[in-house]
């Protein structure tokens, strides 16, 4: 039987390979790399140690993230993180996104 497996990763090596694939894919083809028209919220992140500088825009309608995008320059991990974040928050409430941000800051 040939093809790719859809089974969940079972080892640290499998998780590392999956992580690397996700990072590389989102770095090569970032999702939502754009400035959101009519954005109601803006955020900026800058890491002076490595030079990453990203700007996030979002449009919130009826307390839900309707659209979100990012622009700027960053390393593969920063770009992939911004890309996956934009995919994860679309449709969530602003309060839920703020709660997730707080949880991530505690890591």
């Amino acid at each position: 039987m040939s093809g790719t497996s859809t089974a969940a990763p079972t080892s640290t090596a499998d998780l590392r390979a999956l992580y690397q694939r996700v990072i590389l894919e989102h770095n090569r083809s970032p999702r939502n790399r754009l400035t959101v028209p009519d954005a109601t919220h803006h955020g900026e992140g800058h890491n002076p140690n490595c030079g990453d500088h990203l700007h996030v825009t979002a449009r919130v309608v009826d307390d839900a993230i309707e659209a979100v995008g990012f622009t700027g320059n960053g390393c593969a991990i920063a770009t992939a993180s911004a890309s996956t974040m934009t995919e994860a928050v679309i449709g969530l409430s602003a309060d839920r996104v703020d709660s997730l941000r707080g949880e991530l800051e505690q890591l």
Side-chain angles (χ1 to χ4, degrees):
M1 185 150 115
S2 66
T4 59
S5 172
T6 58
T10 58
S11 71
T12 302
D14 290 341
L15 288 172
R16 185 174 296 122
L18 175 63
Y19 173 79
Q20 289 174 345
R21 281 194 306 270
V22 169
I23 295 297
L24 290 173
E25 171 58 27
H26 278 268
N27 181 55
R28 287 184 191 126
S29 300
R31 282 40 155 212
N32 303 303
R33 186 172 218 156
L34 53 88
T35 298
V36 173
D38 302 323
T40 58
H41 293 70
H42 301 264
E44 193 160 353
H46 181 242
N47 184 339
N49 293 322
C50 66
D52 294 342
H53 193 178
L54 299 174
H55 185 80
V56 177
T57 53
R59 186 171 51 249
V60 177
V61 175
D62 295 329
D63 196 45
I65 308 296
E66 181 178 89
V68 63
F70 76 99
T71 57
N73 298 305
C75 68
I77 292 173
T79 299
S81 295
S83 176
T84 56
M85 180 273 302
T86 63
E87 288 191 313
V89 302
I90 292 176
L92 297 181
S93 72
D95 286 342
R96 179 64 182 134
V97 172
D98 193 45
S99 174
L100 289 171
R101 181 190 53 78
E103 290 175 28
L104 287 170
E105 288 176 350
Q106 296 302 312
L107 294 178

